[in-house]
Amino acid sequence: MLYTLRIVWGVFLLYAAYFPAVMAHKVAEGNTICSNITILYEIADAMECLLHSFEPVASLERSQVNFLVWKYQQILDTFKKAQEKAWNDFTPKNCPTPLAPSNGGLVCVTIANVRYCKPMCNQDYDFAFLRRSRLYEECGQHTGYSWTTQLVGGSRLADCIASSVAVSGQKSAYFHPNMNCQQTMANATAEKEHIRIFLQELAKKDIAEQHEANYDYIICG
Ligand SMILES: *[C@@H]1O[C@H](CO)[C@@H](O)[C@H](O)[C@H]1NC(C)=O
Ligand SMILES: *[C@@H]1O[C@H](CO)[C@@H](O)[C@H](O)[C@H]1NC(C)=O
């Protein structure tokens, strides 16, 4: 199976690299490829092979590599735009979109028209400032629709810095080993689990009424 996929992928790479004009024409001509979402997942499966075997990439010519970097960068930019658009969709509308820390992320929920975001760091990272008694940051009418933060200015809620120990935050403020923010966000089950934990933590502080579940999600830096 893996071998077949590799051959299919190899043929695709060579085809794409040698005949970009033909490919572009084909895509424009029949939008059957463009409108078929199944294909996006098939490409993702094929790419999984590349992540585990560098061989096909190593065998490409320099200009082929350059072509593919350019193509994939464009695709990645398109997906990132869609992702950011989704991250802007929450209430209260007057609050700016918070910036997630690099090497970590934010678990965000809206309750009674207040936005709560819990900063989290990936494994091997820790918060730049002690925040053990400060689980989350918030934005709402009571904050003048700006974010509370330990950092100076703006909507950056926390920094995650390289560290062999994770001691500056509460235990639940760290992503699981081998499951960083991006992986968690890409897995609906794992994402829900983090949101459930955060909602429980808020409920302990009597923040639970008027929960707007449509705006529960994780964003990554
Ligand atoms: C989309 O692509 C998949 C696999 O390539 C194929 O099985 C399916 O029939 C296609 N769907 C449509 C609507 O063309
Ligand atoms: C998604 O996350 C759950 C844990 O929350 C894990 O058991 C499962 O294997 C993950 N699925 C994938 C495809 O990584």
Side-chain angles (χ1 to χ4, degrees), residues 176 179 183-184 186-191 193:
H176 299 146
M179 190 93 185
Q183 284 167 297
T184 305
N187 176 328
T189 312
E191 186 183 44
E193 180 61 12

PDB file of all heavy atoms in Angstrom, residues 176 179 183-184 186-191 193, ligand 2:
ATOM      1  N   HIS A 176      -0.193  17.703  25.844  1.00  0.00           N
ATOM      2  CA  HIS A 176       0.370  16.387  26.142  1.00  0.00           C
ATOM      3  C   HIS A 176       1.669  16.171  25.355  1.00  0.00           C
ATOM      4  O   HIS A 176       1.799  16.678  24.238  1.00  0.00           O
ATOM      5  CB  HIS A 176      -0.623  15.281  25.752  1.00  0.00           C
ATOM      6  CG  HIS A 176      -1.915  15.362  26.492  1.00  0.00           C
ATOM      7  ND1 HIS A 176      -3.116  15.016  25.936  1.00  0.00           N
ATOM      8  CD2 HIS A 176      -2.193  15.797  27.739  1.00  0.00           C
ATOM      9  CE1 HIS A 176      -4.071  15.213  26.810  1.00  0.00           C
ATOM     10  NE2 HIS A 176      -3.558  15.685  27.917  1.00  0.00           N
ATOM     11  N   MET A 179       1.811  15.444  21.427  1.00  0.00           N
ATOM     12  CA  MET A 179       0.530  15.927  20.901  1.00  0.00           C
ATOM     13  C   MET A 179       0.553  17.447  21.058  1.00  0.00           C
ATOM     14  O   MET A 179      -0.056  17.985  21.982  1.00  0.00           O
ATOM     15  CB  MET A 179      -0.610  15.289  21.713  1.00  0.00           C
ATOM     16  CG  MET A 179      -1.976  15.500  21.153  1.00  0.00           C
ATOM     17  SD  MET A 179      -2.467  14.152  20.076  1.00  0.00           S
ATOM     18  CE  MET A 179      -4.033  14.771  19.476  1.00  0.00           C
ATOM     19  N   GLN A 183      -1.246  19.463  16.388  1.00  0.00           N
ATOM     20  CA  GLN A 183      -1.814  18.110  16.326  1.00  0.00           C
ATOM     21  C   GLN A 183      -3.140  18.045  17.081  1.00  0.00           C
ATOM     22  O   GLN A 183      -4.077  17.386  16.641  1.00  0.00           O
ATOM     23  CB  GLN A 183      -0.841  17.098  16.944  1.00  0.00           C
ATOM     24  CG  GLN A 183       0.320  16.765  16.032  1.00  0.00           C
ATOM     25  CD  GLN A 183       1.402  16.022  16.794  1.00  0.00           C
ATOM     26  OE1 GLN A 183       1.984  16.553  17.727  1.00  0.00           O
ATOM     27  NE2 GLN A 183       1.662  14.799  16.401  1.00  0.00           N
ATOM     28  N   THR A 184      -3.196  18.747  18.222  1.00  0.00           N
ATOM     29  CA  THR A 184      -4.412  18.747  19.026  1.00  0.00           C
ATOM     30  C   THR A 184      -5.546  19.428  18.266  1.00  0.00           C
ATOM     31  O   THR A 184      -6.665  18.917  18.184  1.00  0.00           O
ATOM     32  CB  THR A 184      -4.165  19.496  20.361  1.00  0.00           C
ATOM     33  OG1 THR A 184      -3.055  18.900  21.020  1.00  0.00           O
ATOM     34  CG2 THR A 184      -5.385  19.456  21.258  1.00  0.00           C
ATOM     35  N   ALA A 186      -5.920  19.700  15.181  1.00  0.00           N
ATOM     36  CA  ALA A 186      -6.309  18.940  13.993  1.00  0.00           C
ATOM     37  C   ALA A 186      -7.128  17.697  14.345  1.00  0.00           C
ATOM     38  O   ALA A 186      -7.585  16.985  13.457  1.00  0.00           O
ATOM     39  CB  ALA A 186      -5.059  18.525  13.209  1.00  0.00           C
ATOM     40  N   ASN A 187      -7.312  17.444  15.624  1.00  0.00           N
ATOM     41  CA  ASN A 187      -7.996  16.229  16.082  1.00  0.00           C
ATOM     42  C   ASN A 187      -9.199  16.661  16.934  1.00  0.00           C
ATOM     43  O   ASN A 187      -9.037  17.118  18.067  1.00  0.00           O
ATOM     44  CB  ASN A 187      -6.988  15.403  16.892  1.00  0.00           C
ATOM     45  CG  ASN A 187      -7.590  14.159  17.502  1.00  0.00           C
ATOM     46  OD1 ASN A 187      -8.761  14.124  17.855  1.00  0.00           O
ATOM     47  ND2 ASN A 187      -6.762  13.135  17.637  1.00  0.00           N
ATOM     48  N   ALA A 188     -10.396  16.498  16.373  1.00  0.00           N
ATOM     49  CA  ALA A 188     -11.606  17.016  17.027  1.00  0.00           C
ATOM     50  C   ALA A 188     -11.788  16.450  18.436  1.00  0.00           C
ATOM     51  O   ALA A 188     -12.211  17.168  19.348  1.00  0.00           O
ATOM     52  CB  ALA A 188     -12.829  16.722  16.170  1.00  0.00           C
ATOM     53  N   THR A 189     -11.438  15.178  18.618  1.00  0.00           N
ATOM     54  CA  THR A 189     -11.597  14.552  19.937  1.00  0.00           C
ATOM     55  C   THR A 189     -10.669  15.200  20.959  1.00  0.00           C
ATOM     56  O   THR A 189     -11.084  15.541  22.067  1.00  0.00           O
ATOM     57  CB  THR A 189     -11.253  13.044  19.865  1.00  0.00           C
ATOM     58  OG1 THR A 189     -11.941  12.477  18.754  1.00  0.00           O
ATOM     59  CG2 THR A 189     -11.629  12.324  21.130  1.00  0.00           C
ATOM     60  N   ALA A 190      -9.414  15.363  20.557  1.00  0.00           N
ATOM     61  CA  ALA A 190      -8.425  15.947  21.472  1.00  0.00           C
ATOM     62  C   ALA A 190      -8.778  17.407  21.774  1.00  0.00           C
ATOM     63  O   ALA A 190      -8.653  17.865  22.922  1.00  0.00           O
ATOM     64  CB  ALA A 190      -7.038  15.851  20.861  1.00  0.00           C
ATOM     65  N   GLU A 191      -9.239  18.129  20.757  1.00  0.00           N
ATOM     66  CA  GLU A 191      -9.608  19.535  20.962  1.00  0.00           C
ATOM     67  C   GLU A 191     -10.764  19.641  21.967  1.00  0.00           C
ATOM     68  O   GLU A 191     -10.718  20.434  22.906  1.00  0.00           O
ATOM     69  CB  GLU A 191     -10.000  20.178  19.624  1.00  0.00           C
ATOM     70  CG  GLU A 191     -10.257  21.675  19.761  1.00  0.00           C
ATOM     71  CD  GLU A 191     -10.719  22.338  18.471  1.00  0.00           C
ATOM     72  OE1 GLU A 191     -11.582  21.761  17.781  1.00  0.00           O
ATOM     73  OE2 GLU A 191     -10.239  23.448  18.181  1.00  0.00           O
ATOM     74  N   GLU A 193     -11.582  17.637  24.286  1.00  0.00           N
ATOM     75  CA  GLU A 193     -11.140  17.269  25.622  1.00  0.00           C
ATOM     76  C   GLU A 193     -10.541  18.492  26.337  1.00  0.00           C
ATOM     77  O   GLU A 193     -10.852  18.759  27.495  1.00  0.00           O
ATOM     78  CB  GLU A 193     -10.117  16.112  25.521  1.00  0.00           C
ATOM     79  CG  GLU A 193      -9.566  15.606  26.830  1.00  0.00           C
ATOM     80  CD  GLU A 193     -10.625  15.047  27.772  1.00  0.00           C
ATOM     81  OE1 GLU A 193     -11.780  14.840  27.345  1.00  0.00           O
ATOM     82  OE2 GLU A 193     -10.285  14.840  28.960  1.00  0.00           O
TER      83      GLU A 193
HETATM   84  C1  LIG B   2      -7.012  12.042  18.511  1.00  0.00           C
HETATM   85  O1  LIG B   2      -6.826  12.260  19.885  1.00  0.00           O
HETATM   86  C2  LIG B   2      -7.173  11.170  20.726  1.00  0.00           C
HETATM   87  C3  LIG B   2      -6.909  11.579  22.160  1.00  0.00           C
HETATM   88  O2  LIG B   2      -7.701  12.656  22.544  1.00  0.00           O
HETATM   89  C4  LIG B   2      -6.353   9.961  20.360  1.00  0.00           C
HETATM   90  O3  LIG B   2      -6.782   8.864  21.142  1.00  0.00           O
HETATM   91  C5  LIG B   2      -6.494   9.649  18.890  1.00  0.00           C
HETATM   92  O4  LIG B   2      -5.620   8.596  18.547  1.00  0.00           O
HETATM   93  C6  LIG B   2      -6.161  10.867  18.058  1.00  0.00           C
HETATM   94  N1  LIG B   2      -6.422  10.581  16.653  1.00  0.00           N
HETATM   95  C7  LIG B   2      -5.505  10.783  15.707  1.00  0.00           C
HETATM   96  C8  LIG B   2      -5.918  10.475  14.314  1.00  0.00           C
HETATM   97  O5  LIG B   2      -4.395  11.227  15.948  1.00  0.00           O
END
